Amino acid sequence: MNVTHLFCSACGEKYEPNKLYNLCVCGKPLLVAYDLETAAKTLTKESLASRTATLWRYEEVLPVVNKQNQLSLGEGWTPLHKAEKLAAKYDLPNLYIKDEGINPTQSFKARGMALAVSMAKELGIKKVAAPSAGNAAGALSAYAALAGMECHIFVPQDTPKAFIVECEVLGASVNLVDGLIHDCGRIVGERKEKEGWFDVSTLKEPYRIEGKKTMGYELAEQMNWTLPDVILYPTGGGTGLVGMWKAFDEMEQMGWIDSKRPRMVVVQADGCAPIVKAFEQNLNHGVDIPDAHTVASGLRVPKAIGDFILLDILQKSNGIGVSVSDEDLVAGAREIGANEGIFAAPEGGALLAAMKKLLNDGWIKQDETVVLFNTGSGVKYLEAFEN
Ligand SMILES: *Cc1c(COP(=O)(O)O)cnc(C)c1O
Ligand SMILES: [Zn+2]
């Protein structure tokens, strides 16, 4: 509502509010800026008590102008689960799981797509398209159906069946691509102009981040306006990380939290760890991954366009990157399931495996508050759990 302008995350170039955008002219992602002083007049901590249990409770710091364009299937306001049994097992009393698998279409992609499609609706778009490794496609299909838009999905041929069936049932046109997600992205890029599609690829569209940032607002609200010491986040394109970091800054500017930040942990799979490797090598861009592979399809993003932002966040937060094997991440999901009753996505399972490494290394201390962002549900990944 209170958008003043958009600006480039790399060159700082400014753009007018209330318009659709893809990347900056320099080729890097755009971010949304708000008049937070005005937002904070009505968006008060007290006012939140009586608001809707969806991400739209933070509407003053979201870009949609007209309330009628707020598409909703119940996204956001997911439980912050106190993981008592895992806490006891690892002697880590303040361990929490933010369970994003509860979202519509069973992943946190619903947050980003709710915003991107709402903005597209507000600005008159009739057709949307996106490449996806899985969950983004389902979420886009759902919100496009709600908005009455045509939806074109491009997924790698070997994407688990549940994702493909889901999109088809939600009315999308699904295209299987012989390649990886960046190949899918290239096809969308090549065809979009001729077909009249609006491209909602990760970070190539500025409003998905605004939806994902609500994870940061919710976390603070659910923790009574404190933040944890450590956040573990399964990182593909990294929208959630960029979004949460942005939310922390906005909340500080509104006087809701202080300047203390969690140490952010980028968790990736051994078969596709461009950010973890870049962090270890002290680079400011992701390393090339020629043969990206992992059953955690959300982590199979060999080239993230916001890589430099993710590496900057790791540095600023005194964070770290950790990669884990597919075997360990599936075992992690089983362990979360059997102990906490949450059927986590393999991406979520990766966090437990990473947490164990960081506990062993002494990087996480036993008295610290730790939050694992289980970004999706395991139900769409049955193949990964079969053997
Ligand atoms: C997409 C996805 C991720 C990665 O999210 P990014 O914001 O692209 O880093 C992680 N987990 C699941 C389940 C996903 O669907
Ligand atoms: Zn720029």
Side-chain angles (χ1 to χ4, degrees):
M1 279 183 180
N2 299 292
V3 178
T4 55
H5 61 280
L6 287 84
F7 63 98
C8 176
S9 56
C11 75
E13 180 72 23
K14 282 191 179 182
Y15 292 83
E16 282 175 45
N18 310 325
K19 284 190 167 180
L20 290 177
Y21 292 102
N22 288 122
L23 296 171
C24 176
V25 285
C26 80
K28 300 295 183 190
L30 296 178
L31 298 171
V32 183
Y34 294 85
D35 175 354
L36 292 171
E37 211 175 300
T38 300
K41 282 182 188 153
T42 48
L43 180 59
T44 60
K45 291 179 183 177
E46 297 71 35
S47 78
L48 286 167
S50 59
R51 292 195 181 196
T52 174
T54 72
L55 56 70
W56 297 109
R57 63 200 278 105
Y58 308 111
E59 61 182 358
E60 285 92 335
V61 288
L62 293 173
V64 177
V65 174
N66 185 342
K67 233 181 154 73
Q68 286 172 350
N69 293 321
Q70 295 179 352
L71 298 170
S72 185
L73 293 165
E75 54 292 316
W77 203 243
T78 56
L80 181 66
H81 169 81
K82 191 145 204 280
E84 306 267 7
K85 283 171 82 187
L86 291 172
K89 190 168 169 186
Y90 294 102
D91 188 22
L92 194 63
N94 298 306
L95 175 63
Y96 295 86
I97 299 173
K98 179 79 169 149
D99 189 11
E100 292 292 305
I102 301 291
N103 276 300
T105 67
Q106 295 78 50
S107 92
F108 75 152
K109 292 292 194 301
R111 294 182 187 261
M113 289 305 183
L115 263 293
V117 180
S118 292
M119 285 303 284
K121 180 177 182 227
E122 185 155 272
L123 296 166
I125 292 291
K126 300 279 188 288
K127 302 177 186 179
V128 287
S132 169
N135 279 314
L140 178 60
S141 302
Y143 289 95
L146 197 60
M149 290 178 196
E150 239 179 64
C151 178
H152 300 269
I153 298 295
F154 291 79
V155 293
Q157 213 162 39
D158 57 350
T159 298
K161 197 172 169 191
F163 294 107
I164 295 167
V165 174
E166 178 186 32
C167 294
E168 285 170 354
V169 171
L170 293 171
S173 131
V174 183
N175 304 272
L176 302 182
V177 175
D178 181 14
L180 295 180
I181 184 156
H182 59 276
D183 300 306
C184 299
R186 187 171 33 77
I187 297 172
V188 172
E190 285 164 5
R191 290 182 55 186
K192 65 184 178 187
E193 208 159 319
K194 183 164 163 281
E195 307 276 1
W197 298 338
F198 182 62
D199 180 1
V200 291
S201 306
T202 304
L203 291 187
K204 287 189 190 161
E205 184 288 330
Y207 301 117
R208 280 175 68 179
I209 297 177
E210 296 303 299
K212 292 272 187 89
K213 88 177 176 191
T214 57
M215 294 191 293
Y217 278 90
E218 277 179 32
L219 187 61
E221 187 177 351
Q222 290 172 326
M223 299 189 82
N224 200 18
W225 310 108
T226 63
L227 294 175
D229 297 300
V230 176
I231 290 177
L232 287 92
Y233 179 80
T235 307
T239 34
L241 204 69
V242 175
M244 280 195 273
W245 196 251
K246 184 172 188 283
F248 299 155
D249 283 346
E250 290 175 0
M251 286 190 285
E252 186 182 354
Q253 286 178 56
M254 292 193 289
W256 287 9
I257 59 168
D258 62 20
S259 61
K260 186 177 168 285
R261 294 288 181 273
R263 305 201 303 286
M264 306 301 275
V265 182
V266 160
V267 178
Q268 298 193 305
D270 288 345
C272 185
I275 304 298
V276 174
K277 286 185 178 149
F279 182 74
E280 284 165 356
Q281 295 168 32
N282 232 329
L283 305 174
N284 59 6
H285 55 86
V287 303
D288 283 336
I289 307 289
D291 173 34
H293 57 91
T294 170
V295 294
S297 51
L299 306 185
R300 205 168 56 159
V301 183
K303 177 90 189 96
I305 190 158
D307 53 3
F308 65 101
I309 313 176
L310 303 177
L311 290 159
D312 188 50
I313 292 170
L314 285 186
Q315 200 134 53
K316 285 193 178 132
S317 75
N318 291 315
I320 197 168
V322 180
S323 76
V324 300
S325 69
D326 270 24
E327 197 181 345
D328 287 352
L329 62 84
V330 170
R334 289 186 182 282
E335 195 177 333
I336 290 172
N339 285 281
E340 301 295 340
I342 292 169
F343 188 6
E347 292 87 341
L351 305 179
L352 185 61
M355 184 194 90
K356 289 196 236 177
K357 282 193 182 185
L358 293 173
L359 272 172
N360 278 338
D361 294 349
W363 195 89
I364 294 176
K365 306 276 184 300
Q366 310 298 147
D367 63 348
E368 290 188 309
T369 301
V370 176
V371 176
L372 311 181
F373 266 86
N374 174 43
T375 44
S377 163
V379 291
K380 292 193 218 170
Y381 299 77
L382 298 183
E383 294 90 341
F385 293 99
E386 266 167 7
N387 33 36

